[in-house]
Amino acid sequence: MRKGSLAAATAALALTSLAAKVLGAVYRIPLTNLLGAEGMGLYQTFFPVYALFITLTSGALPAVVSRYAAYYDASGRDCGEVLAAAKKLCLAVAASGTLLFAAAAYPIAGLQAASESAAGYFILVPAVAAVAYSSVYRGRFLAKNRTSVCAAAQTAEQGIKLVFGLALAAFLAKYGSVYAVYGALAAVTLSEFAGAFILRAVYGKSKEKLPVCVDKTLFKDMARSMLPMLASALVLPIVTFVDSFAIVRLLAAYGSEETAARQQYGLLTGAVGTLVNLPVVVALSASVAVLPKLTSELVAKGKNAAHAKTSSAVGYCLMFSLPCAIGFALFAPEILGSLYPALSYAEIASAAQMLRIQSAGVVFAAAMQVLCASLQALGKVRSVMVYMAVGGACRLLLQAVLMPKIGIVAAPIAQCSMYALVTVLAALGYRQETGSGVIALNMFAKTALAGVIMIAAELGVTVLGASPAVKLAVAVAVGAVTFFGTLFAVKAIVPKRRGVSAKYPEDGKNGRGEKNVQRN
């Protein structure tokens, strides 16, 4: 793998992001056991709103900064101008977003039928400004291919949140579950400030100088580029925000009491959501890494070279998301029972049903992230905005229609439908723009074959009469050997040889764009 390659950038960011997600999962598991299903449901009601305002103030900033910085680097221009304009843009959006978040705290808490917990939003208000500030430096590091700095800061954030979150929640639990939730939220704010401090400190060691005067034309161009990117990024947080108060009310129409409905919402967003997000982080890493890479490739070599990057990124995501989806579908009760021993048998059964449905969405979510990032790099930012809006509307409509009839399982069904629809639309848009498919048919067929063989092998594991922990350990080992062993056997993955980059065999080229040659 060459230095600076997309695979290297994706792997570095994915590994450290996975470490951060693992820390997050490690945190959520004892926190769920500490707060219980109802307390976790209350804790989770804050995050859709928090995520919405985080996205509103800084969701598009890293992408815009990385795209413009990569363009300036590839063109040999002074990138300090980009950072100066980005800081001015950050100040404007962070100030307005923070004030709006504080003003909306009580009305939103009322909509969520939890007006007594509005103080939790004020605990999170400073974190919005901290994330916006750090996003400027995050975008610059991504453009410079220093993805490990961003991921290391994220890992540090999760570690701080884990330590202080559990400590504060445990200390305040004696005053009631609401205060325990406040303690966990305070740790979130503390961790965001720590992440911003780390990124600024590392950037401070660079020799890059910012101009005194901001280029007004560049500032306006970046602001115009940010708007459709921001609209695209806002779709998921808006939908999740609507879910935070609509799901409980829709479940009431299904016949559930408010306490039971909040418990089911906590299982969906806490227990199940935490697991589903783990494999999706690889796709997020690939999408974050691919945007500045594609921008540089387009400037230097044109669309053909950029297409190779997209195809590789989609392939990497498929190779990771498919076995995870299979594992979730086949071993959902064992996974949930092992990770969340405090949950009752009925709660595990309900969560397992949701996780099995969500497993299909893992593959679509992974592909969706990479395709949307690729289209943004190709200048189709408005198209991505439309695709995401259509998918979000479809999800809310399905949820509203199905949930009063079939209950909480309507939520994962609607979410998977959204991911699938956006993926199809983005794939069609990508083909129209480039004239090429998003991944070689040969590679897709080989990966699908590996998935079928893995399913056959894992079905044998499901009938073992062992404990859930032992069964899971055997399933992971068998799944890894069969899936990746098949990929190597059919030469979907070619081991790196001396002087030759590891590439898909159908690419026929090494990392320098030359034909692969077997070296003696």
Side-chain angles (χ1 to χ4, degrees):
M1 199 178 289
R2 293 178 302 130
K3 182 179 179 180
S5 68
L6 173 62
T10 300
L13 188 57
L15 288 174
T16 43
S17 295
L18 275 174
K21 286 292 184 181
V22 168
L23 281 175
V26 169
Y27 171 56
R28 288 292 182 93
I29 292 167
L31 189 65
T32 299
N33 293 325
L34 180 65
L35 299 179
E38 184 177 0
M40 199 64 187
L42 176 62
Y43 179 75
Q44 288 298 134
T45 59
F46 290 102
F47 282 92
V49 185
Y50 175 60
L52 175 62
F53 280 91
I54 287 292
T55 306
L56 183 64
T57 56
S58 56
L61 268 176
V64 171
V65 173
S66 67
R67 185 183 177 196
Y68 273 83
Y71 177 80
Y72 269 53
D73 286 339
S75 305
R77 301 170 67 179
D78 180 14
C79 198
E81 297 178 9
V82 175
L83 265 291
K87 280 191 171 183
K88 184 177 179 181
L89 190 60
C90 166
L91 179 63
V93 297
S96 57
T98 301
L99 291 174
L100 183 60
F101 189 27
Y106 280 105
I108 291 173
L111 282 174
Q112 293 175 325
S115 56
E116 73 284 355
S117 62
Y121 288 114
F122 290 100
I123 296 174
L124 291 171
V125 164
V128 174
V131 174
Y133 179 74
S134 64
S135 64
V136 175
Y137 299 103
R138 199 178 299 274
R140 180 58 183 132
F141 284 126
L142 291 172
K144 295 171 72 174
N145 200 33
R146 298 183 64 184
T147 52
S148 57
V149 177
C150 302
Q154 185 182 5
T155 304
E157 290 170 14
Q158 292 290 350
I160 291 170
K161 185 169 68 173
L162 185 152
V163 173
F164 287 92
L166 292 178
L168 290 172
F171 175 75
L172 295 173
K174 58 186 176 183
Y175 301 106
S177 61
V178 173
Y179 287 94
V181 170
Y182 288 167
L185 295 176
V188 173
T189 298
L190 180 63
S191 68
E192 299 294 6
F193 273 93
F197 175 80
I198 292 170
L199 290 171
R200 178 62 183 88
V202 176
Y203 178 79
K205 296 180 180 180
S206 68
K207 298 180 180 179
E208 199 165 71
K209 295 182 180 180
L210 303 185
V212 177
C213 298
V214 176
D215 186 335
K216 293 183 179 180
T217 301
L218 176 60
F219 174 81
K220 291 178 180 178
D221 286 344
M222 292 180 70
R224 280 195 293 266
S225 296
M226 192 180 83
L227 290 177
M229 279 189 172
L230 180 60
S232 301
L234 277 171
V235 171
L236 279 175
I238 287 174
V239 171
T240 309
F241 163 65
V242 173
D243 285 349
S244 69
F245 60 84
I247 285 181
V248 173
R249 298 178 187 274
L250 287 170
L251 287 174
Y254 180 66
S256 299
E257 295 183 358
E258 183 176 324
T259 300
R262 194 172 295 281
Q263 287 176 344
Q264 289 183 311
Y265 178 73
L267 292 173
L268 172 69
T269 57
V272 176
T274 299
L275 290 170
V276 170
N277 286 337
L278 284 173
V280 175
V281 72
V282 175
L284 289 171
S285 301
S287 65
V288 166
V290 82
L291 182 57
K293 286 282 184 183
L294 283 180
T295 302
S296 298
E297 292 287 333
L298 286 167
V299 173
K301 302 176 184 178
K303 286 186 179 180
N304 288 337
H307 169 65
K309 297 288 186 186
T310 300
S311 184
S312 296
V314 174
Y316 299 146
C317 290
L318 184 61
M319 287 179 183
F320 187 81
S321 61
L322 183 57
C324 291
I326 293 171
F328 288 156
L330 295 179
F331 298 97
E334 290 83 0
I335 294 171
L336 292 161
S338 299
L339 293 177
Y340 304 104
L343 297 180
S344 68
Y345 178 82
E347 289 171 337
I348 289 175
S350 177
Q353 186 181 25
M354 289 186 275
L355 182 57
R356 283 184 169 130
I357 297 171
Q358 289 269 54
S359 63
V362 169
V363 177
F364 288 116
M368 181 189 78
Q369 297 288 347
V370 176
L371 288 174
C372 288
S374 300
L375 286 171
Q376 287 174 342
L378 292 168
K380 296 297 180 180
V381 181
R382 295 184 184 277
S383 297
V384 174
M385 178 184 67
V386 172
Y387 301 155
M388 292 298 297
V390 170
C394 173
R395 173 177 165 178
L396 291 176
L397 179 62
L398 278 176
Q399 226 166 239
V401 172
L402 295 178
M403 195 166 288
K405 298 178 180 178
I406 61 177
I408 191 65
V409 294
I413 290 174
Q415 186 170 338
C416 291
S417 300
M418 172 187 175
Y419 292 150
L421 177 59
V422 176
T423 299
V424 171
L425 292 174
L428 292 174
Y430 183 85
R431 174 176 282 278
Q432 183 179 12
E433 178 65 17
T434 64
S436 304
V438 295
I439 186 173
L441 181 61
N442 188 24
M443 173 53 57
F444 179 82
K446 290 176 178 179
T447 307
L449 174 63
V452 171
I453 294 175
M454 177 183 170
I455 291 173
E458 296 283 41
L459 286 174
V461 180
T462 59
V463 299
L464 287 178
S467 66
V470 173
K471 187 181 291 188
L472 282 178
V474 174
V476 170
V478 170
V481 169
T482 54
F483 186 81
F484 293 103
T486 302
L487 290 179
F488 277 109
V490 298
K491 297 182 179 180
I493 300 176
V494 180
K496 182 179 178 181
R497 302 184 182 92
R498 183 172 56 87
V500 179
S501 297
K503 296 289 286 182
Y504 297 153
E506 58 267 30
D507 287 348
K509 296 179 180 180
N510 64 17
R512 295 179 299 277
E514 303 162 351
K515 292 291 183 179
N516 275 328
V517 178
Q518 177 70 40
R519 301 197 177 195
N520 297 321

